[in-house]
Amino acid sequence: MRQSLAGDQRAYATLLTETTRLLRPFLSKRLRFSNEVDDLLQEILLSIHKARHTYDGKRPYKPWAYAIAKFRLLDHLRAHYSDQLRHAIDFDELEENLHEHVTESEMSYESISGEVQKLPEKQALILQLMHQEGYTAKEVAEKIGMNESAVKVAAHRAYKVLRERLER
Amino acid sequence: MDNIEQLVASLSKEASAVKPAPHPFMLSLQWTIAAAIYLAVSLAISGLRPELLEKLHNPWLLAEIAALLGLFIVTTLSAALLAFPDLHQKRVLAFAPVVPAVIFLFVILLAWQADTPPAPLPVHSFQCTLSITLMTLLPALWTFYSMRKFASTHYRLAGSVALLSAFSVGALWLRLHEVNDSILHVVEWHYLPMLAIGLLGLWLGKLLLKW
């Protein structure tokens, strides 16, 4: 790090690569999905870059890097859970809609299949299996060799993208 | 993984020589000197209370001022440490303001008990809180502005401690300027608002020190 602070670009690249190697297991233990780990790792590297002037090279590097990693992890988890709370269904809202047709939907899979095909391949396949062929998330997971929660997350992301596109 | 490799490559390309931040001890010393100058100038303009030397023979007033001074010094040091992501690896010192705060509280309680018969209440009331708050503005702005240059990972606590440090400068100024012997008035209009300021600092810290 001392060499990096002096402007040695190669030393800095090595330091960031080593930091990635150091932090990946730390984040993997705390986050469920590998794409989340990658996203957060990138955010942490950016934070380390931004805050590098607060490290003077005279004290151990690891506690400094871990402090930033922990800070970004907590931020990420806070945002994640507040996002989940925002999207949680209010029971009162649910009750109000119960008398309506809950088994029929004005929007069929066929009517939006064009949009579904524009999604990434895996997400499109998951929606097709779940909504056109009627498989459950568990069955889809077995069929395409993913775990069930990964299928649910991919479907959730696909719904979000579709909702945004259809609302436009 | 490719994204991370790309990011590492682009960040290392951007990396130029960086001047490390000053040591937190030096930083807090700078802030303390700036606050001392500010306090001296303010007292020179507003004037010391006329009977200050005589009043300083009262051990409780002396203890109160010493405790307030201690609180200011330790909160300044703590604010400087809290501005660093790893608290400059001096965790105990960063959380040290608890000690002078407890001592300060203890001194005030004892001074309150010793105030028999109670000194008469002054005619003014909230004006004191207002004056302290106005005096606090400049040191608070200066401290927050300096802290924003660093990278606090405890931004709420850092905000609260920074504001307490700035408020203690204001409180110190008024205690040396105002002709008042009522500890009840001092508790009510000088020190209780300090608690509110501490809470406000938690919010301000999130607003101004988040990065």
Side-chain angles (χ1 to χ4, degrees):
Chain A
M1 183 66 165
R2 242 177 270 170
Q3 287 170 298
S4 319
L5 287 173
D8 183 338
Q9 296 185 347
R10 196 181 287 177
Y12 193 46
T14 311
L15 177 87
L16 291 179
T17 310
E18 286 303 315
T19 305
T20 309
R21 216 165 284 162
L22 180 79
L23 295 177
R24 188 177 284 282
F26 169 76
L27 297 175
S28 299
K29 262 189 219 167
R30 287 154 181 89
L31 296 170
R32 206 187 294 171
F33 306 110
S34 61
N35 56 348
E36 261 186 303
V37 172
D38 281 352
D39 288 350
L40 192 56
L41 258 175
Q42 291 181 48
E43 218 173 295
I44 292 169
L45 290 181
L46 282 169
S47 302
I48 285 178
H49 180 71
K50 208 172 157 187
R52 66 193 195 281
H53 66 294
T54 62
Y55 182 75
D56 57 5
K58 288 174 191 158
R59 54 194 201 275
Y61 171 73
K62 277 187 193 175
W64 180 83
Y66 270 111
I68 294 176
K70 206 174 143 196
F71 170 62
R72 286 292 171 228
L73 173 69
L74 289 176
D75 244 11
H76 171 81
L77 292 175
R78 211 175 285 132
H80 175 76
Y81 286 113
S82 69
D83 198 39
Q84 273 198 346
L85 278 177
R86 234 193 336 271
H87 290 106
I89 300 165
D90 189 344
F91 277 110
D92 292 339
E93 229 172 79
L94 199 64
E95 267 176 23
E96 277 173 26
N97 292 317
L98 277 180
H99 61 277
E100 290 171 11
H101 305 291
V102 286
T103 51
E104 288 173 26
S105 161
E106 284 175 19
M107 203 179 281
S108 65
Y109 176 81
E110 282 70 26
S111 68
I112 56 163
S113 60
E115 287 296 329
V116 173
Q117 295 313 317
K118 287 180 199 163
L119 291 170
E121 202 181 328
K122 201 156 247 175
Q123 289 183 355
L125 177 65
I126 289 170
L127 290 200
Q128 188 194 337
L129 289 171
M130 285 172 80
H131 295 284
Q132 198 175 26
E133 298 180 23
Y135 288 105
T136 63
K138 196 177 176 185
E139 287 165 342
V140 173
E142 280 166 11
K143 215 169 169 57
I144 62 175
M146 286 170 77
N147 68 44
E148 191 184 343
S149 41
V151 167
K152 284 180 182 169
V153 168
H156 176 74
R157 286 194 179 146
Y159 296 145
K160 212 170 161 184
V161 173
L162 279 177
R163 197 184 304 130
E164 280 165 14
R165 284 185 190 165
L166 293 170
E167 277 173 0
R168 257 183 234 155
Chain B
M1 196 65 182
D2 284 346
N3 289 341
I4 291 178
E5 279 165 11
Q6 275 173 15
L7 181 67
V8 168
S10 74
L11 290 181
S12 49
K13 256 184 219 163
E14 273 178 35
S16 50
V18 174
K19 191 182 167 205
H23 194 283
F25 290 167
M26 283 309 292
L27 199 64
S28 61
L29 187 67
Q30 281 173 15
W31 293 349
T32 308
I33 291 170
I37 293 170
Y38 179 64
L39 189 63
V41 171
S42 308
L43 283 170
I45 294 168
S46 61
L48 284 165
R49 60 189 285 185
E51 68 325 4
L52 183 67
L53 277 179
E54 180 196 324
K55 288 292 172 188
L56 282 178
H57 290 299
N58 174 359
W60 292 117
L61 179 68
L62 200 63
E64 183 193 327
I65 288 170
L68 198 55
L69 199 63
L71 188 68
F72 163 70
I73 291 168
V74 180
T75 47
T76 305
L77 177 62
S78 165
L81 289 167
L82 285 165
F84 288 77
D86 57 344
L87 314 181
H88 220 269
Q89 292 167 37
K90 292 176 179 64
R91 206 173 177 77
V92 176
L93 266 182
F95 293 98
V98 175
V99 178
V102 170
I103 293 174
F104 181 67
L105 208 69
F106 195 61
V107 167
I108 293 294
L109 278 176
L110 289 178
W112 199 343
Q113 267 192 339
D115 187 28
T116 45
L121 281 167
V123 279
H124 62 271
S125 55
F126 70 91
Q127 291 88 337
C128 282
T129 313
L130 201 66
S131 308
I132 297 176
T133 309
L134 287 174
M135 266 297 286
T136 300
L137 285 178
L138 205 62
L141 276 173
W142 161 256
T143 315
F144 273 102
Y145 172 75
S146 309
M147 285 174 91
R148 272 177 65 85
K149 291 181 193 160
F150 305 99
S152 177
T153 52
H154 296 71
Y155 46 82
R156 284 195 186 86
L157 186 62
S160 179
V161 170
L163 219 50
L164 281 177
S165 157
F167 198 85
S168 44
V169 177
L172 212 54
W173 162 74
L174 197 59
R175 208 64 186 106
L176 297 174
H177 164 70
E178 184 194 23
V179 180
N180 164 47
D181 293 323
S182 168
I183 190 77
L184 192 66
H185 165 85
V186 169
V187 169
E188 199 177 352
W189 297 106
H190 294 208
Y191 300 138
L192 273 181
M194 219 169 179
L195 285 177
I197 288 289
L199 293 175
L200 180 74
L202 295 173
W203 171 76
L204 264 184
K206 191 187 170 196
L207 195 76
L208 300 173
L209 301 177
K210 203 168 177 208
W211 56 291

